[in-house]
Amino acid sequence: TVHKQLYRIGELEEGTFFGQMGLLGNRQRSATIQALENSIVLEVYPNDLVRLLEAATPFSLRFQEFLGISVIRQLRAANLHID
């Protein structure tokens, strides 16, 4: 569940990225995530992100694909609010 100022603003599905805009933009996060059930997460720090983006392993390439798709989805959602 995604909360902003104690308001529920959405629910994330399995495999969803969150926090990437802050990570890519070197900014502080803008929301807090709270799991509704036991979850496995991958925490990525800025230095780790640089290594992942530079690597050519199957994992790093898949990570980059998911990251790109996630950012595109967020931009499309933001555009809907502008139009």
Side-chain angles (χ1 to χ4, degrees), residues 1-2 7 10 21 27 33 43 45 47 52 55 74 79 82:
T1 303
V2 181
Y7 294 102
M21 298 303 278
R27 300 187 133 190
I33 305 294
E43 186 174 7
Y45 294 94
N47 290 339
L52 274 172
Q74 284 187 302
N79 282 338
I82 294 171

Side-chain angles (χ1 to χ4, degrees), residues 18-71:
F18 56 90
Q20 65 274 22
M21 298 303 278
L23 184 63
L24 292 172
N26 197 26
R27 300 187 133 190
Q28 195 170 31
R29 61 183 172 77
S30 60
T32 297
I33 305 294
Q34 181 179 11
L36 296 175
E37 56 191 51
N38 289 340
S39 303
I40 297 173
V41 298
L42 173 65
E43 186 174 7
V44 179
Y45 294 94
N47 290 339
D48 297 329
L49 179 66
V50 170
R51 280 184 285 227
L52 274 172
L53 296 176
E54 290 175 345
T57 64
F59 173 78
S60 68
L61 295 174
R62 188 77 171 141
F63 180 85
Q64 290 175 45
E65 178 184 2
F66 274 114
L67 184 61
I69 290 169
S70 177
V71 169

Side-chain angles (χ1 to χ4, degrees), residues 10-23:
E11 194 165 316
L12 305 177
E13 298 175 9
E14 182 178 330
T16 303
F17 276 78
F18 56 90
Q20 65 274 22
M21 298 303 278
L23 184 63

